[in-house]
Amino acid sequence: PDPSSCAGSLREAYAASVHTRLAFSQRWPTAPPEATVVRCYTDGAFTAGVGAVAGWGLAVQLDETWQEYSGPVCADPLSADWEGAESQSNNSGEFTALLRALNFCADRIVDLPGPIRVEIYYDSRLAAGRATGL
């Protein structure tokens, strides 16, 4: 599969797979029931081979609206697109997707009125451990 298109089927993949939920409830109070819920589904992809590039995907659900984003992982520290990846791997795709989800939330949902609850879903235990400090 083309890593740059890995966001295209995230909704279907997560509907059929077991995923890990990043739960903030143990560290921060839960949002009230009337809170706007933003759901971010992330995934990374990598197919080994000569010149292989890892990819990341992000699907965001806000109410009934979906937005999808995807792209290659940049492992060049001199590039303006570099976000810290040191190599092309599935893990670098998973971490880049998680970082993109957090950046999306920081940049785009801060202007929503009222309380907001953000839920981030992913299938990487490594990313889950890093995100939650475990």
PDB file of all heavy atoms in Angstrom, residues 5-25:
ATOM      1  N   SER A   5      -1.317   7.354   1.484  1.00  0.00           N
ATOM      2  CA  SER A   5      -2.779   7.301   1.440  1.00  0.00           C
ATOM      3  C   SER A   5      -3.361   6.487   2.590  1.00  0.00           C
ATOM      4  O   SER A   5      -4.471   6.003   2.504  1.00  0.00           O
ATOM      5  CB  SER A   5      -3.235   6.698   0.107  1.00  0.00           C
ATOM      6  OG  SER A   5      -2.822   5.351   0.025  1.00  0.00           O
ATOM      7  N   CYS A   6      -2.614   6.354   3.677  1.00  0.00           N
ATOM      8  CA  CYS A   6      -3.068   5.477   4.754  1.00  0.00           C
ATOM      9  C   CYS A   6      -4.259   6.024   5.530  1.00  0.00           C
ATOM     10  O   CYS A   6      -4.906   5.288   6.253  1.00  0.00           O
ATOM     11  CB  CYS A   6      -1.927   5.118   5.693  1.00  0.00           C
ATOM     12  SG  CYS A   6      -1.177   6.492   6.542  1.00  0.00           S
ATOM     13  N   ALA A   7      -4.616   7.297   5.391  1.00  0.00           N
ATOM     14  CA  ALA A   7      -5.774   7.821   6.116  1.00  0.00           C
ATOM     15  C   ALA A   7      -7.082   7.442   5.452  1.00  0.00           C
ATOM     16  O   ALA A   7      -8.126   7.458   6.086  1.00  0.00           O
ATOM     17  CB  ALA A   7      -5.697   9.341   6.224  1.00  0.00           C
ATOM     18  N   GLY A   8      -7.054   7.075   4.179  1.00  0.00           N
ATOM     19  CA  GLY A   8      -8.271   6.852   3.414  1.00  0.00           C
ATOM     20  C   GLY A   8      -9.248   5.873   4.012  1.00  0.00           C
ATOM     21  O   GLY A   8     -10.442   6.041   3.897  1.00  0.00           O
ATOM     22  N   SER A   9      -8.780   4.825   4.683  1.00  0.00           N
ATOM     23  CA  SER A   9      -9.705   3.834   5.210  1.00  0.00           C
ATOM     24  C   SER A   9      -9.614   3.716   6.725  1.00  0.00           C
ATOM     25  O   SER A   9      -9.962   2.689   7.281  1.00  0.00           O
ATOM     26  CB  SER A   9      -9.415   2.478   4.569  1.00  0.00           C
ATOM     27  OG  SER A   9      -8.103   2.070   4.893  1.00  0.00           O
ATOM     28  N   LEU A  10      -9.160   4.752   7.396  1.00  0.00           N
ATOM     29  CA  LEU A  10      -9.005   4.673   8.854  1.00  0.00           C
ATOM     30  C   LEU A  10     -10.319   4.411   9.570  1.00  0.00           C
ATOM     31  O   LEU A  10     -10.366   3.624  10.505  1.00  0.00           O
ATOM     32  CB  LEU A  10      -8.390   5.959   9.402  1.00  0.00           C
ATOM     33  CG  LEU A  10      -6.883   6.082   9.237  1.00  0.00           C
ATOM     34  CD1 LEU A  10      -6.422   7.431   9.737  1.00  0.00           C
ATOM     35  CD2 LEU A  10      -6.166   4.989   9.981  1.00  0.00           C
ATOM     36  N   ARG A  11     -11.398   5.055   9.128  1.00  0.00           N
ATOM     37  CA  ARG A  11     -12.680   4.844   9.820  1.00  0.00           C
ATOM     38  C   ARG A  11     -13.087   3.381   9.756  1.00  0.00           C
ATOM     39  O   ARG A  11     -13.482   2.798  10.757  1.00  0.00           O
ATOM     40  CB  ARG A  11     -13.763   5.718   9.205  1.00  0.00           C
ATOM     41  CG  ARG A  11     -13.632   7.168   9.577  1.00  0.00           C
ATOM     42  CD  ARG A  11     -14.654   7.987   8.873  1.00  0.00           C
ATOM     43  NE  ARG A  11     -14.161   8.182   7.507  1.00  0.00           N
ATOM     44  CZ  ARG A  11     -14.826   8.785   6.554  1.00  0.00           C
ATOM     45  NH1 ARG A  11     -16.024   9.239   6.783  1.00  0.00           N
ATOM     46  NH2 ARG A  11     -14.318   8.951   5.375  1.00  0.00           N
ATOM     47  N   GLU A  12     -12.958   2.776   8.579  1.00  0.00           N
ATOM     48  CA  GLU A  12     -13.332   1.374   8.431  1.00  0.00           C
ATOM     49  C   GLU A  12     -12.389   0.460   9.215  1.00  0.00           C
ATOM     50  O   GLU A  12     -12.818  -0.497   9.850  1.00  0.00           O
ATOM     51  CB  GLU A  12     -13.336   0.982   6.951  1.00  0.00           C
ATOM     52  CG  GLU A  12     -14.422   1.672   6.147  1.00  0.00           C
ATOM     53  CD  GLU A  12     -14.048   3.081   5.707  1.00  0.00           C
ATOM     54  OE1 GLU A  12     -12.870   3.491   5.831  1.00  0.00           O
ATOM     55  OE2 GLU A  12     -14.953   3.807   5.255  1.00  0.00           O
ATOM     56  N   ALA A  13     -11.086   0.760   9.170  1.00  0.00           N
ATOM     57  CA  ALA A  13     -10.113  -0.073   9.869  1.00  0.00           C
ATOM     58  C   ALA A  13     -10.344  -0.058  11.371  1.00  0.00           C
ATOM     59  O   ALA A  13     -10.302  -1.101  12.025  1.00  0.00           O
ATOM     60  CB  ALA A  13      -8.694   0.398   9.552  1.00  0.00           C
ATOM     61  N   TYR A  14     -10.635   1.108  11.928  1.00  0.00           N
ATOM     62  CA  TYR A  14     -10.839   1.186  13.366  1.00  0.00           C
ATOM     63  C   TYR A  14     -12.186   0.616  13.784  1.00  0.00           C
ATOM     64  O   TYR A  14     -12.332   0.137  14.897  1.00  0.00           O
ATOM     65  CB  TYR A  14     -10.675   2.618  13.863  1.00  0.00           C
ATOM     66  CG  TYR A  14      -9.231   2.931  14.115  1.00  0.00           C
ATOM     67  CD1 TYR A  14      -8.466   3.551  13.149  1.00  0.00           C
ATOM     68  CD2 TYR A  14      -8.619   2.549  15.294  1.00  0.00           C
ATOM     69  CE1 TYR A  14      -7.127   3.809  13.363  1.00  0.00           C
ATOM     70  CE2 TYR A  14      -7.290   2.809  15.516  1.00  0.00           C
ATOM     71  CZ  TYR A  14      -6.550   3.438  14.549  1.00  0.00           C
ATOM     72  OH  TYR A  14      -5.225   3.682  14.760  1.00  0.00           O
ATOM     73  N   ALA A  15     -13.149   0.657  12.898  1.00  0.00           N
ATOM     74  CA  ALA A  15     -14.441   0.063  13.234  1.00  0.00           C
ATOM     75  C   ALA A  15     -14.304  -1.445  13.374  1.00  0.00           C
ATOM     76  O   ALA A  15     -15.033  -2.074  14.138  1.00  0.00           O
ATOM     77  CB  ALA A  15     -15.471   0.404  12.161  1.00  0.00           C
ATOM     78  N   ALA A  16     -13.345  -2.044  12.671  1.00  0.00           N
ATOM     79  CA  ALA A  16     -13.197  -3.496  12.671  1.00  0.00           C
ATOM     80  C   ALA A  16     -12.035  -3.982  13.531  1.00  0.00           C
ATOM     81  O   ALA A  16     -11.791  -5.168  13.613  1.00  0.00           O
ATOM     82  CB  ALA A  16     -13.009  -3.985  11.238  1.00  0.00           C
ATOM     83  N   SER A  17     -11.291  -3.093  14.151  1.00  0.00           N
ATOM     84  CA  SER A  17     -10.104  -3.530  14.885  1.00  0.00           C
ATOM     85  C   SER A  17     -10.185  -3.153  16.358  1.00  0.00           C
ATOM     86  O   SER A  17     -10.975  -2.324  16.770  1.00  0.00           O
ATOM     87  CB  SER A  17      -8.854  -2.911  14.268  1.00  0.00           C
ATOM     88  OG  SER A  17      -8.854  -1.523  14.507  1.00  0.00           O
ATOM     89  N   VAL A  18      -9.337  -3.809  17.107  1.00  0.00           N
ATOM     90  CA  VAL A  18      -9.204  -3.458  18.522  1.00  0.00           C
ATOM     91  C   VAL A  18      -8.245  -2.284  18.598  1.00  0.00           C
ATOM     92  O   VAL A  18      -7.211  -2.266  17.964  1.00  0.00           O
ATOM     93  CB  VAL A  18      -8.643  -4.649  19.320  1.00  0.00           C
ATOM     94  CG1 VAL A  18      -8.411  -4.265  20.766  1.00  0.00           C
ATOM     95  CG2 VAL A  18      -9.578  -5.829  19.214  1.00  0.00           C
ATOM     96  N   HIS A  19      -8.597  -1.267  19.345  1.00  0.00           N
ATOM     97  CA  HIS A  19      -7.746  -0.099  19.441  1.00  0.00           C
ATOM     98  C   HIS A  19      -7.570   0.304  20.901  1.00  0.00           C
ATOM     99  O   HIS A  19      -8.300  -0.116  21.767  1.00  0.00           O
ATOM    100  CB  HIS A  19      -8.303   1.059  18.614  1.00  0.00           C
ATOM    101  CG  HIS A  19      -9.720   1.396  18.970  1.00  0.00           C
ATOM    102  ND1 HIS A  19     -10.780   0.871  18.303  1.00  0.00           N
ATOM    103  CD2 HIS A  19     -10.225   2.175  19.944  1.00  0.00           C
ATOM    104  CE1 HIS A  19     -11.897   1.310  18.844  1.00  0.00           C
ATOM    105  NE2 HIS A  19     -11.585   2.109  19.828  1.00  0.00           N
ATOM    106  N   THR A  20      -6.581   1.100  21.091  1.00  0.00           N
ATOM    107  CA  THR A  20      -6.277   1.610  22.427  1.00  0.00           C
ATOM    108  C   THR A  20      -6.767   3.040  22.525  1.00  0.00           C
ATOM    109  O   THR A  20      -6.546   3.823  21.640  1.00  0.00           O
ATOM    110  CB  THR A  20      -4.752   1.580  22.664  1.00  0.00           C
ATOM    111  OG1 THR A  20      -4.289   0.246  22.484  1.00  0.00           O
ATOM    112  CG2 THR A  20      -4.423   2.063  24.059  1.00  0.00           C
ATOM    113  N   ARG A  21      -7.435   3.348  23.579  1.00  0.00           N
ATOM    114  CA  ARG A  21      -7.928   4.708  23.773  1.00  0.00           C
ATOM    115  C   ARG A  21      -7.012   5.454  24.724  1.00  0.00           C
ATOM    116  O   ARG A  21      -6.667   4.960  25.791  1.00  0.00           O
ATOM    117  CB  ARG A  21      -9.336   4.667  24.356  1.00  0.00           C
ATOM    118  CG  ARG A  21      -9.868   6.054  24.609  1.00  0.00           C
ATOM    119  CD  ARG A  21     -11.279   5.997  25.105  1.00  0.00           C
ATOM    120  NE  ARG A  21     -11.670   7.346  25.456  1.00  0.00           N
ATOM    121  CZ  ARG A  21     -12.668   7.622  26.248  1.00  0.00           C
ATOM    122  NH1 ARG A  21     -13.398   6.667  26.747  1.00  0.00           N
ATOM    123  NH2 ARG A  21     -12.960   8.865  26.528  1.00  0.00           N
ATOM    124  N   LEU A  22      -6.615   6.608  24.279  1.00  0.00           N
ATOM    125  CA  LEU A  22      -5.826   7.466  25.143  1.00  0.00           C
ATOM    126  C   LEU A  22      -6.791   8.094  26.142  1.00  0.00           C
ATOM    127  O   LEU A  22      -7.586   8.938  25.791  1.00  0.00           O
ATOM    128  CB  LEU A  22      -5.126   8.546  24.319  1.00  0.00           C
ATOM    129  CG  LEU A  22      -4.296   9.567  25.076  1.00  0.00           C
ATOM    130  CD1 LEU A  22      -3.191   8.869  25.854  1.00  0.00           C
ATOM    131  CD2 LEU A  22      -3.715  10.576  24.124  1.00  0.00           C
ATOM    132  N   ALA A  23      -6.735   7.632  27.384  1.00  0.00           N
ATOM    133  CA  ALA A  23      -7.705   8.064  28.381  1.00  0.00           C
ATOM    134  C   ALA A  23      -7.083   9.112  29.295  1.00  0.00           C
ATOM    135  O   ALA A  23      -6.099   8.852  29.963  1.00  0.00           O
ATOM    136  CB  ALA A  23      -8.179   6.871  29.198  1.00  0.00           C
ATOM    137  N   PHE A  24      -7.656  10.284  29.273  1.00  0.00           N
ATOM    138  CA  PHE A  24      -7.185  11.350  30.139  1.00  0.00           C
ATOM    139  C   PHE A  24      -7.879  11.309  31.499  1.00  0.00           C
ATOM    140  O   PHE A  24      -7.522  12.043  32.392  1.00  0.00           O
ATOM    141  CB  PHE A  24      -7.456  12.710  29.498  1.00  0.00           C
ATOM    142  CG  PHE A  24      -6.616  12.977  28.289  1.00  0.00           C
ATOM    143  CD1 PHE A  24      -7.153  12.920  27.028  1.00  0.00           C
ATOM    144  CD2 PHE A  24      -5.275  13.277  28.433  1.00  0.00           C
ATOM    145  CE1 PHE A  24      -6.379  13.169  25.916  1.00  0.00           C
ATOM    146  CE2 PHE A  24      -4.488  13.532  27.330  1.00  0.00           C
ATOM    147  CZ  PHE A  24      -5.038  13.478  26.068  1.00  0.00           C
ATOM    148  N   SER A  25      -8.874  10.457  31.647  1.00  0.00           N
ATOM    149  CA  SER A  25      -9.714  10.500  32.839  1.00  0.00           C
ATOM    150  C   SER A  25      -8.947  10.208  34.121  1.00  0.00           C
ATOM    151  O   SER A  25      -9.361  10.631  35.195  1.00  0.00           O
ATOM    152  CB  SER A  25     -10.879   9.530  32.689  1.00  0.00           C
ATOM    153  OG  SER A  25     -10.408   8.208  32.535  1.00  0.00           O
TER     154      SER A  25
END
